[in-house]
Amino acid sequence: MQARQIMTSPVLTVRADTTVREAATLLLENRITAAPVLDAGGELIGIVSEGDLVVDRFGHDPRNRVRPVQDEPPGPQTVGEVMTTTVIALGPSADAADLAETMLGSDVRSVPIVEGATVVGIVSRRDLLRTLVRDDDAIREEIVGRIADYRGPAGTWDVQVTDGEVLIVGELDDDGRAAIAIARTVPGVGSVH
């Protein structure tokens, strides 16, 4: 399964001069955890996440202090002041397993998908989770269709799917390895036997 199959596209983006409040509103209203930051030419220059937006945004409540709270300087006002500038981005053909490893290994919740310098999509942890709970009947139907496109209608073989685990039963002759490879490309497939 590749990023292009599970990414969200088109992508909601912001600019460095977008206010923190506007960016927070965008994330909340669209139920997303991060947005790529683009320059005037549309190139990726950063990413802003929920975490970035809450940094230094809350003053101390004077009721919880023994000593008076000193005047605190205002927090950052624009996305450019809080965004992460080192962005991990992958291409549309990136494997879902690589996306998951990248997110977990780098402790990021979203990965922009780029072609050259153009952001074409974004994959979040939620997008990956969505594939794990895909309906078995929908997975089976897609596998059967893809294998039939490759080798013709089902004859002496069948596909069974239980909790995302796929079992291809019957005779596929020399096409067995291809059928297994095809099945592995379907969103929601855990393993193929």
Side-chain angles (χ1 to χ4, degrees):
M1 179 173 30
Q2 296 181 334
R4 69 173 44 91
Q5 295 172 282
I6 57 175
M7 70 184 186
T8 299
S9 183
V11 183
L12 296 173
T13 63
V14 294
R15 304 258 312 257
D17 60 356
T18 302
T19 68
V20 167
R21 185 177 182 88
E22 290 169 328
T25 300
L26 177 79
L27 296 186
L28 285 171
E29 287 180 352
N30 292 283
R31 298 180 183 205
I32 56 177
T33 60
V37 182
L38 307 182
D39 66 12
E43 291 193 24
L44 182 65
I45 60 169
I47 191 163
V48 66
S49 69
E50 294 166 322
D52 296 326
L53 294 172
V54 299
V55 170
D56 296 329
R57 297 302 300 175
F58 298 94
H60 292 284
D61 187 332
R63 296 174 296 180
N64 294 332
R65 304 284 177 207
V66 175
R67 288 184 279 162
V69 176
Q70 302 297 321
D71 285 340
E72 296 176 355
Q77 299 301 307
T78 66
V79 166
E81 295 174 85
V82 298
M83 70 182 185
T84 301
T85 57
T86 303
V87 183
I88 298 169
L90 296 173
S93 62
D95 188 270
D98 293 333
L99 282 161
E101 288 172 14
T102 298
M103 287 180 192
L104 295 173
S106 301
D107 194 28
V108 296
R109 288 178 169 71
S110 301
V111 175
I113 305 302
V114 297
E115 281 187 306
T118 304
V119 177
V120 296
I122 193 164
V123 176
S124 68
R125 290 181 183 180
R126 183 172 291 161
D127 294 324
L128 291 173
L129 280 174
R130 199 172 288 122
T131 67
L132 295 178
V133 296
R134 192 164 178 222
D135 180 65
D136 287 342
D137 292 334
I139 293 170
R140 182 189 180 284
E141 185 177 317
E142 188 168 343
I143 292 170
V144 168
R146 288 186 187 191
I147 294 173
D149 288 346
Y150 173 75
R151 75 174 308 269
T156 58
W157 59 273
D158 187 36
V159 174
Q160 300 169 9
V161 182
T162 306
D163 295 330
E165 304 302 311
V166 177
L167 178 62
I168 301 175
V169 181
E171 295 181 29
L172 286 165
D173 304 322
D174 295 333
D175 293 332
R177 286 188 186 156
I180 290 170
I182 289 167
R184 285 185 178 141
T185 67
V186 174
V189 170
S191 65
V192 182
H193 305 282

